[in-house]
Amino acid sequence: MPAKRPNLGANGILEQMERDLAAIRRAQRRPIEEEMVRGGLTVPQTAVMQIAFQRDGISLKDLSREASLAHSTVSGIVDRLEAQGLVERRVDPADGRVSRIHATAVVARFVRDKIPELRRGPLGRALEKASPAERKKIAWALGRLRTLLEDVQSGA
Amino acid sequence: MPAKRPNLGANGILEQMERDLAAIRRAQRRPIEEEMVRGGLTVPQTAVMQIAFQRDGISLKDLSREASLAHSTVSGIVDRLEAQGLVERRVDPADGRVSRIHATAVVARFVRDKIPELRRGPLGRALEKASPAERKKIAWALGRLRTLLEDVQSGA
DNA sequence: ATACGATACGTCGTATACGACCTATCGTCG
DNA sequence: CGACGATAGGTCGTATACGACGTATCGTAT
């Protein structure tokens, strides 16, 4: 049963939202981390790999933008994926600055077979328990919150 | 202007939500990280300090539960706070296993003066731009999503 | 052609964040 | 009272995650 949610002041709502976001983050991270032991992949690695597969030859800059991560973070993730032979870095012949990320042949099968089931991970399972109306409301709220945050970020 | 949000299939909604959550995390983390350079504190450190202040003498276990973080994570954060003299560890006289976290005198002023303004950080500023109705909807959605995730977690 | 600002990326230092493991302490059962 | 499972927390190894900085390359202006 859910915890009590009394009427909160503006400050209380803020703190409650922060707590909820933290809890969401943790719950989302944990269950697939268990899978990692079996599959050898973490959540961010899976996400990066899927993007690299869908947009083969994507630059690291675009990849980091897609994943909402700093380029230095993605660089490290690609390092580890490369070490496992799941991804390749190739310098762009037309522009020596950009290194294009390519999914190796092994990945195609992996993405098609494993990812869908991983994708239907904690978030997917959680949403299955919600009604379509709830799903819509939650999806809207996340999109809206993201927009609000990004507007503040860019000084709007 | 916000990105297009076409009608998405069930899978598309999932991926969109994951992207939104990632972007929210990043946006929420970044701006206060800038403050860190000035104040010397990170977001998690601030959160932990506030909990330790509000519930003086809290055990590390309870503290980690409040913060939705693993106890090993909180232990490291407390290490750094302790090194800055903002927090103290004292072994519980009644139970030698638990180490109780106390905010030092310096912190009281800090929490009262600095935290409110930090709290009104990215999330607070973002929410100011939203209507009360939107705020309610977003708050509800986060709470609901959290509950759904935690129910799945506990096998409900 | 050369200088030079802009761009893309790699690297580094530090702070999360986690699970696995170890150790010390507690309660309880015999 | 001594054994022993349970509990709290510290430690370790690894993977994010970031900004700052360095380096190589590109475009452009001179």
Side-chain angles (χ1 to χ4, degrees):
Chain A
M1 107 222 104
K4 292 191 302 183
R5 287 189 181 273
N7 250 1
L8 299 164
N11 237 22
I13 285 184
L14 232 175
E15 292 185 19
Q16 186 63 50
M17 283 180 59
E18 282 178 352
R19 276 194 287 270
D20 286 346
L21 280 169
I24 287 168
R25 181 179 186 181
R26 181 169 197 197
Q28 207 192 346
R29 179 186 299 258
R30 233 198 319 176
I32 305 199
E33 294 287 2
E34 296 172 10
E35 305 282 328
M36 174 194 127
V37 186
R38 283 192 291 167
L41 286 180
T42 67
V43 178
Q45 283 173 4
T46 306
V48 164
M49 241 186 45
Q50 186 171 41
I51 297 172
F53 172 72
Q54 288 171 345
R55 301 189 40 182
D56 196 73
I58 191 175
S59 73
L60 198 128
K61 176 192 173 74
D62 289 343
L63 184 52
S64 66
R65 200 173 47 77
E66 290 284 323
S68 286
L69 295 173
H71 83 273
S72 55
T73 302
V74 176
S75 185
I77 293 174
V78 169
D79 281 350
R80 278 159 229 127
L81 288 175
E82 209 174 10
Q84 299 198 31
L86 298 172
V87 140
E88 272 183 11
R89 259 186 254 243
R90 283 184 231 153
V91 177
D92 188 329
D95 185 338
R97 291 171 299 181
V98 338
S99 77
R100 307 213 160 269
I101 316 300
H102 297 269
T104 59
V106 198
V107 173
R109 237 173 317 152
F110 183 90
V111 170
R112 258 189 271 276
D113 299 351
K114 273 261 177 121
I115 297 248
E117 116 188 31
L118 290 181
R119 275 290 184 220
R120 204 178 338 99
L123 194 55
R125 282 196 297 273
L127 291 176
E128 283 169 10
K129 308 251 179 187
S131 71
E134 282 182 330
R135 276 197 290 272
K136 269 192 73 169
K137 280 198 263 186
I138 293 172
W140 173 88
L142 292 181
R144 181 78 182 112
L145 180 55
R146 174 184 183 168
T147 303
L148 287 166
L149 278 166
E150 286 175 347
D151 283 354
V152 162
Q153 196 98 109
S154 60
Chain B
M1 117 218 101
K4 292 190 301 182
R5 288 189 181 272
N7 250 3
L8 299 166
N11 236 23
I13 285 184
L14 231 176
E15 291 185 19
Q16 186 64 51
M17 283 179 59
E18 282 178 354
R19 275 193 288 268
D20 286 346
L21 280 169
I24 287 168
R25 278 200 298 266
R26 179 166 199 200
Q28 205 192 349
R29 177 185 303 257
R30 230 199 322 176
I32 305 198
E33 295 288 1
E34 295 171 11
E35 305 283 327
M36 174 196 128
V37 184
R38 284 192 292 169
L41 286 182
T42 66
V43 178
Q45 283 173 6
T46 306
V48 163
M49 243 186 43
Q50 186 170 41
I51 297 172
F53 172 73
Q54 288 171 345
R55 302 188 41 181
D56 195 73
I58 191 175
S59 72
L60 197 127
K61 176 191 173 73
D62 290 343
L63 183 51
S64 65
R65 201 173 45 77
E66 290 284 323
S68 287
L69 294 174
H71 84 271
S72 55
T73 302
V74 176
S75 184
I77 294 173
V78 170
D79 282 349
R80 277 158 231 128
L81 288 174
E82 209 174 10
Q84 300 197 31
L86 299 172
V87 140
E88 272 182 11
R89 259 186 255 242
R90 284 183 232 154
V91 177
D92 189 329
D95 186 338
R97 292 171 298 181
V98 338
S99 78
R100 308 213 160 269
I101 316 300
H102 298 270
T104 59
V106 198
V107 172
R109 235 173 318 150
F110 183 91
V111 170
R112 257 189 272 275
D113 300 349
K114 274 264 177 118
I115 296 247
E117 114 188 33
L118 290 182
R119 276 291 184 221
R120 203 179 340 99
L123 194 55
R125 283 195 296 274
L127 290 175
E128 283 170 11
K129 309 253 179 183
S131 71
E134 282 182 330
R135 276 196 290 273
K136 270 192 71 168
K137 280 199 263 186
I138 293 172
W140 174 87
L142 292 181
R144 181 76 182 115
L145 180 55
R146 174 184 183 168
T147 303
L148 287 167
L149 279 166
E150 288 176 345
D151 283 354
V152 162
Q153 197 99 107
S154 60

